[in-house]
Amino acid sequence: MGGVSHTSLSPLPSSDRSDIAARLRRALLDASFTADGLLDLLGAPAYAALARSETVPALRATRGDTPLETLVRLFLLQQPVPHERVADVLPVEDALESGWLTRTGGDEVAASVDIRPYGGPDGEDWFIVSDLGCAVGGAGGIGSREEGVVLGVGGASTTLAGITVREPVGSALDLGTGSGIQALHVAQHATRVTATDLNPRALEIAALTLALSGAPASDLRQGSLFEPIRADETYDLIVSNPPFVISPGARLTYRDGGMGGDDLCRTLVQEAGDRLNEGGYAQFLANWQHVEGEDWQDRLRSWVPRGCDAWIVQREVQDVTQYAELWLRDSGDHRADPADYQARYDAWLDEFEARKVKAVGFGWITLRRTAAAEPSITVEEWPHSVEQPLGDAVREHFDRVDYLRRHDDAGVLAGHFRLVAEVVQEQVGLPGAEDPEHVVLRQHRGMRRATKVDTVGAGFAGVCDGTLSAGRILDAIAQLVGEDPVMLRDRTPAQIRLLVEQGFLEPVE
């Protein structure tokens, strides 16, 4: 990146000086060092360039000496700044004493950690602390990777935050907290928050993130997976952006699980069931192997613990060469000696070949603890665009699962339904044809699904406004099209159930 090069991890600020963190927070807010303030100062192109690890546009936009420009160069771009300029903006001596700033050559100071403004879901002004070089560009922002480095906000972090079900809960667990971003989110709706990480440095940084963001302190515990959790502790919500990368060895704590293949993600999912309270959710990002001779969906179904409903969505698949190249670039190995790069690339392919892995999938796994006799497990591929945040859509998926589990076909026909807002109908066929080849219903919210329906299904969905029962609507359609109403009632519930399951129709109870 365009800032200072760092070859070793810097000492961290003291996490037990909450008074100084509070004073720093006030100073940052007074200078509009916020997500909105950055966008206003830098402009959209320079702001977007930061996510690509490109700092030159932002450096050009911060040549002045306003308080905001000073803070951006100091905490986001890692530029040394004259002591005198910083003293006009921050409590500089306290920041130096507690380790937020360090003295450099001459009369200049530099940041000891990255601080990135981050906007909360309800307009909160938060600050994500990470190791130097990691605030810009997420995982791609630092040129060389070191054991123990703690990253800032990346695409995976914001994806998990977006899909998490947000409802008031008594207890929440952020497993593998990293910089603390998930703990920060769940602290807004959980009475008690526990956050764990194998890396003690991550716990220190998470404490700094929470303090600088004005959030309540979490119960921070060191250890792998569920090791730091007592046997009698259970939660209403578990979230985890784990080190899911399937790699040979465990060079990098922040991404490499240290178990063979996808065993870390499998273990995490399988052990989560016993840690959930009734009705509680566990939500993870994960990678999984596509193994020769094995159905990937069956592989994931085998991960789901007893007593849990599951919704698993595969968002992306990469062949093993693409996957290896992605993570070799992430760690900067593509800039290493060509012989070293080739050796590491070979090691990845050797590992995959030994395990008969042909591709790697990435996606979301949501579990919900249920008392139902037959849990529902949905495993699907959905690589298309969605509308974040999706937390409400995830909760509504399981609400629909409950409805369909409670109602047989007769119950569905007696039920009332409403077409969900922003669903449109598309007719596909040859130009000039009297009838379309097929009809497609398409959502413009949430998962943005599309599904084919026949003319009866399209007509049924179109008149669903909650006033008439499904059976009465079908009787009217039968009369219009000249079909036996008994036959229509017999064959249509499966289509209605599918439209409910996929979120095109919502029950009116």
Side-chain angles (χ1 to χ4, degrees), residues 4 14 20 55 63 65 86 88 93 167 171 181 202 243 246 305 316 319 363 371 395-396 405 416 419 436 439 496 499:
V4 178
S14 170
I20 292 179
T55 59
R63 291 169 171 169
D65 58 0
V86 179
D88 291 336
E93 297 307 322
E167 57 188 14
S171 57
I181 181 172
I246 300 170
E316 184 178 359
D319 67 47
R395 178 180 48 77
E396 289 163 0
R405 198 155 41 197
H416 294 239
L419 185 66
V439 178
I496 298 174
L499 291 175

Side-chain angles (χ1 to χ4, degrees), residues 1 38 43 52 81 93 136 195 225 249 271 274 346 359 388 407 412 432 506-507:
M1 54 180 291
L38 279 187
R52 303 190 300 271
V81 177
E93 297 307 322
V136 170
L225 300 180
E271 293 183 355
D274 290 337
D346 269 332
Q388 285 275 33
H407 294 81
V412 167
E506 57 184 6

